[in-house]
Amino acid sequence: MSDSDTSQISRRDFMRLAGAAATTVAASAMTAVAAPEAKAAPAATAPNWESKFSVCDMCFNRCGLIARVEKGVITKLDPNPKFTKSRGMLCARGNAGVAQVYDPDRLKTPMLRVGKRGEGKWKSISWDEALELAASKMKDIAAKHTRCGMLFSAGADMQSGFVNRFAEVFGSFNVTSHESLCLLSGNRAFVDTFGDVPLPDVRNSKYVILAGANRLEALVTPDSMDLVTIMKEGAKVVVLDPRYTKSAALASEWHAIRPGTDMAFMLALAHVIITEKLYDAKYIDERVSGLDKLAAHVAELTPAWAEEQTGIPAADIARIARELAAAAPASMVYPGRRTSDYENSTQIRRSFAIVNALLGNYDRPGGLVPARPAGLKKVPAEPPWYDDNPPGRVDAGSVPLLFDEEGSFVLTRDAVIKGAPYPIKGWFVYKTNPMATAPERQKTREMIDKLDFMMVVDITMSDTAWMADLVLPAPSAMERTDPVQALQSGAEGACLVWRDAVIPPLYESRPVFDILKALAGKLGLGEFFDFDIPAYRLKQLAAFPEAAEILKRDGVFYPPNPPLGGTDGQPFKTPSQKIELYCSRYEGMGLDPLPVYAPPKASPDAARKFRLVAGRSACVTQGSSTNNPLLSEFEPENTLWLNDEAAKELGVKQGDVVLVESPVGKGELKALVTPKIRKDTVYMLSGFGSISGGLSHTKGVGASIVELMETRFDSICGNSAIHETFLSVKKKGAA
């Protein structure tokens, strides 16, 4: 049995269990929630089953799927073979989408809190009562605290754009996305180097460095599937990770890098490539600026120096640099997605971008390619002007380069707690769960206690919903009609997808678009939501009159995509109009224009000597899939990865319950004793240790990672920094 598995389950076992679970779920569903049209259809003419296109919603990837519907009930999900982004794959989470639809824990009616926050006392109310209450509360907050007194937060979803639209026309600047807990420092770094956020063309790459990215467990399509393919074809994959992940196990080589030293490794690669002139001089001259300044910056940052920082032998660092350059431009330092690591994460990711620039791999097969325009039309609104609003977001100016459209959740949270620069007293939350995803859960609780009104729209009673005043039931993705969304997939460019309801909405659930449209009407803003989803789609697809029929026929539409190399000769969207190794924008703002390495901070407390790192498994998408009835069979609880030597010193054995404590919280969970993690590092999955009484599989199970994480943030863009926490570990019952 693998040290990283809670049980030994093969792919065949999974498919068998998934099929059995879907059949069981479907059988009970047919009795309890059979679709009205299935009841009405004559038995003699009703087909045994029908196939309907949709798009998965179990993570942000949006893989294409085909739902099998029997008598109005979804019984199976299959990949859509025409949706090439997902490479004919539907992962464990995708297959478990059926269990999400028919989850017994689903919210069924609007729920109003009648006890203290977090006490779990609710009463069911009608939709009319719920919408009247929400509109009344929002009016009161706007009157007392301006319209910026309402905060809006939405997760990655095909209807999330309507939350942003509503916030804009309501008059609030305060919108935060889940991405500010996840990936914004990486976006910031690549925008400030290349002028955009390019995508990896893994499929055509010959050499890939995965630094902290675990693509064979933290699945991203098509990258995860392409990684397996190119390894079979002989491409080299080098993994830098303090854990021996599934990606490390299948890679060409793995280096257990010291956490927080990735920049040292990258700067040493740059040293070798520059001093040995392993770059394309013509490309650098025409397309890149700042080589001379970078050369001086890394002159002393040798592989030997980097060995002292990273723990990786100097000879290996030098060899990897030469191999990487020899494979260029079909080589890359993989950009990653979850980049919310340290307080200097933007500069760490800038070092990734700089090495890619030296490889000359921009807009080249096997390198980093620009996102291609999808041709999807925006449907803007002209919001009213509110004279009494404050000048900007509540977190404005807190860091130098905040993404205004995303904000910073942790900095917004601080502002709400302080009531400065102005008070926020209302919060609308859709399909995001900060009580389970934002560091320092107690601080999120403190933020919520400062509010006069909080409403959550979700499919289950999440930990965040558990703290709300009003909770509204949302349908699953299989039960609603969504607008068109453009998806990008590396060298293949963009595709367009939409969702039609596979089955009618169950219970009293309503999509967030319908909720926002109703609220807009009650608040005198109905003109800004004077449309339905089909009409909205037509406006989006104005450039492609043929797209609607193709989407109905295939479940996906591919607009014309320009070939790779299309940006040759075009200026980059940077001040110099070139790829900037030396960031002139940073220089003008008083920031380091080149990444300046500093060793990671040590624990200030000798008792807390283990750095906590986060990650994913193939069955867990943060807190949104751990309570899934099917997926919980594979990940029933989280465990603490603890190095075997460290465990021996602590007297901890396999399966022992350990007490973990940080400066901000504590928890207990079972130890997974393994040599597959550095001695100075511990790891645990997120999404467990829930507080909500509406989550039957995760309430009180394992430990909550956000109960333990300290609040830190990237100094440039405000992205949460989740690897800055140290834990103490001891066996439960030990003195």
Side-chain angles (χ1 to χ4, degrees), residues 505-684:
L506 300 182
Y507 316 115
E508 294 183 30
S509 61
R510 293 188 186 181
V512 75
F513 171 76
D514 290 4
I515 295 169
L516 295 168
K517 183 172 182 174
L519 286 174
K522 292 180 180 298
L523 293 167
L525 301 169
E527 64 182 290
F528 301 104
F529 281 81
D530 187 21
F531 56 87
D532 58 16
I533 298 295
Y536 191 85
R537 288 172 168 180
L538 288 176
K539 291 182 179 180
Q540 290 182 290
L541 294 173
F544 304 111
E546 75 281 18
E549 287 304 313
I550 294 173
L551 279 160
K552 292 175 185 176
R553 184 192 71 198
D554 297 339
V556 62
F557 172 72
Y558 295 94
N561 276 295
L564 292 185
T567 64
D568 289 359
Q570 296 181 9
F572 290 88
K573 296 176 183 178
T574 62
S576 67
Q577 299 190 336
K578 292 185 174 185
I579 300 170
E580 294 202 349
L581 306 177
Y582 183 94
C583 184
S584 56
R585 185 181 188 188
Y586 287 12
E587 181 182 39
M589 299 178 69
L591 303 173
D592 290 325
L594 289 163
V596 176
Y597 177 77
K601 297 175 183 176
S603 173
D605 184 343
R608 298 189 180 104
K609 60 183 179 180
F610 298 101
R611 185 182 292 272
L612 174 63
V613 298
R616 302 284 175 261
S617 84
C619 292
V620 172
T621 310
Q622 297 149 336
S624 64
S625 61
T626 48
N627 195 65
N628 183 285
L630 177 55
L631 294 175
S632 64
E633 296 285 337
F634 301 94
E635 296 283 2
E637 62 185 342
N638 61 352
T639 57
L640 187 78
W641 281 43
L642 183 63
N643 175 269
D644 51 355
E645 293 182 19
K648 186 176 181 180
E649 293 172 4
L650 293 169
V652 174
K653 295 178 181 175
Q654 192 72 267
D656 283 349
V657 175
V658 292
L659 304 178
V660 289
E661 186 174 358
S662 75
V664 299
K666 60 180 66 175
E668 59 181 65
L669 70 171
K670 293 177 183 176
L672 194 155
V673 177
T674 175
K676 298 179 180 179
I677 190 166
R678 287 176 56 98
K679 191 176 180 181
D680 56 2
T681 307
V682 291
Y683 162 82
M684 60 194 289

Side-chain angles (χ1 to χ4, degrees), residues 49-367:
W49 56 272
E50 57 183 325
S51 293
K52 296 186 177 182
F53 290 115
S54 190
V55 183
C56 185
D57 197 47
M58 295 298 288
C59 76
F60 68 91
N61 280 312
R62 310 278 181 269
C63 294
L65 62 81
I66 300 173
R68 177 178 291 189
V69 182
E70 301 182 45
K71 297 181 180 179
V73 174
I74 305 168
T75 58
K76 192 175 189 297
L77 301 177
D78 291 308
N80 180 354
K82 294 188 177 182
F83 189 82
T84 57
K85 178 180 181 291
S86 45
R87 303 292 192 257
M89 184 270 288
L90 198 62
C91 74
R93 291 170 295 182
N95 276 278
V98 177
Q100 184 192 56
V101 175
Y102 301 112
D103 186 351
D105 285 346
R106 277 191 61 172
L107 292 163
K108 297 175 176 62
T109 66
M111 304 293 288
L112 179 67
R113 179 174 62 83
V114 294
K116 295 179 180 179
R117 278 200 173 120
E119 191 177 9
K121 292 183 178 180
W122 305 90
K123 75 171 182 178
S124 177
I125 61 173
S126 70
W127 270 104
D128 286 344
E129 185 179 356
L131 293 169
E132 285 292 341
L133 173 66
S136 174
K137 292 290 187 181
M138 294 174 76
K139 286 179 182 177
D140 288 346
I141 289 167
K144 293 175 182 176
H145 306 290
T146 81
R147 290 170 179 263
C148 286
M150 280 294 302
L151 169 66
F152 296 85
S153 298
D157 182 79
M158 290 174 71
Q159 290 200 12
S160 291
F162 294 127
V163 178
N164 292 53
R165 182 189 184 97
F166 183 90
E168 186 176 28
V169 300
F170 178 77
S172 177
F173 310 136
N174 293 307
V175 178
T176 64
S177 70
H178 172 74
E179 280 71 14
S180 74
L181 297 169
C182 182
L183 56 76
L184 294 188
S185 56
N187 289 359
R188 181 81 269 163
F190 279 86
V191 165
D192 294 338
T193 305
F194 290 95
D196 69 355
V197 183
L199 304 168
D201 177 22
V202 175
R203 179 62 188 90
N204 295 303
S205 196
K206 305 300 181 187
Y207 202 108
V208 179
I209 294 178
L210 292 177
N214 180 17
R215 276 297 154 266
L216 300 190
E217 292 177 273
L219 302 175
V220 171
T221 56
D223 299 0
S224 299
M225 302 302 290
D226 288 349
L227 198 65
V228 174
T229 300
I230 66 170
M231 286 193 287
K232 289 180 179 177
E233 294 174 351
K236 187 160 187 178
V237 176
V238 177
V239 170
L240 312 179
D241 201 303
R243 293 192 303 129
Y244 189 69
T245 62
K246 297 288 195 302
S247 300
L250 292 181
S252 310
E253 57 186 276
W254 167 61
H255 297 279
I257 191 168
R258 179 186 173 206
T261 64
D262 295 43
M263 186 195 294
F265 183 90
M266 298 300 162
L267 294 177
L269 294 185
H271 169 93
V272 174
I273 293 170
I274 292 171
T275 57
E276 298 184 12
K277 294 186 173 8
L278 303 179
Y279 53 85
D280 181 336
K282 183 174 183 293
Y283 179 92
I284 295 292
D285 181 62
E286 294 176 353
R287 306 287 280 160
V288 179
S289 69
L291 179 65
D292 54 341
K293 293 176 179 176
L294 176 63
H297 182 66
V298 300
E300 305 299 323
L301 306 183
T302 64
W305 164 81
E307 177 179 355
E308 295 177 358
Q309 300 299 320
T310 64
I312 300 173
D316 287 336
I317 297 173
R319 172 183 52 79
I320 290 169
R322 294 170 188 137
E323 293 172 350
L324 188 69
S331 62
M332 72 173 79
V333 176
Y334 185 79
R337 177 175 165 85
R338 195 266 300 134
T339 58
S340 53
D341 300 318
Y342 302 95
E343 291 172 313
N344 64 337
S345 273
T346 293
Q347 292 287 22
I348 291 173
R349 298 293 158 165
R350 273 265 296 147
S351 72
F352 287 31
I354 283 169
V355 174
N356 280 305
L358 292 174
L359 298 174
N361 67 8
Y362 185 82
D363 205 5
R364 294 292 184 269

Side-chain angles (χ1 to χ4, degrees), residues 381-452:
E382 291 293 335
W385 178 262
Y386 300 100
D387 290 324
D388 61 340
N389 267 1
R393 298 178 51 94
V394 75
D395 52 358
S398 51
V399 287
L401 288 169
L402 188 78
F403 284 102
D404 284 340
E405 67 274 20
E406 310 278 2
S408 166
F409 177 77
V410 295
L411 293 172
T412 296
R413 184 179 64 182
D414 284 347
V416 174
I417 292 170
K418 295 175 184 175
Y422 54 85
I424 286 181
K425 291 297 180 179
W427 194 11
F428 181 102
V429 184
Y430 172 61
K431 206 177 181 245
T432 186
N433 188 11
M435 282 289 290
T437 57
E440 209 164 333
R441 183 162 68 182
Q442 188 55 39
K443 208 166 188 179
T444 306
R445 172 71 183 264
E446 185 181 354
M447 167 194 173
I448 293 169
D449 285 340
K450 296 288 184 179
L451 302 174
D452 293 340

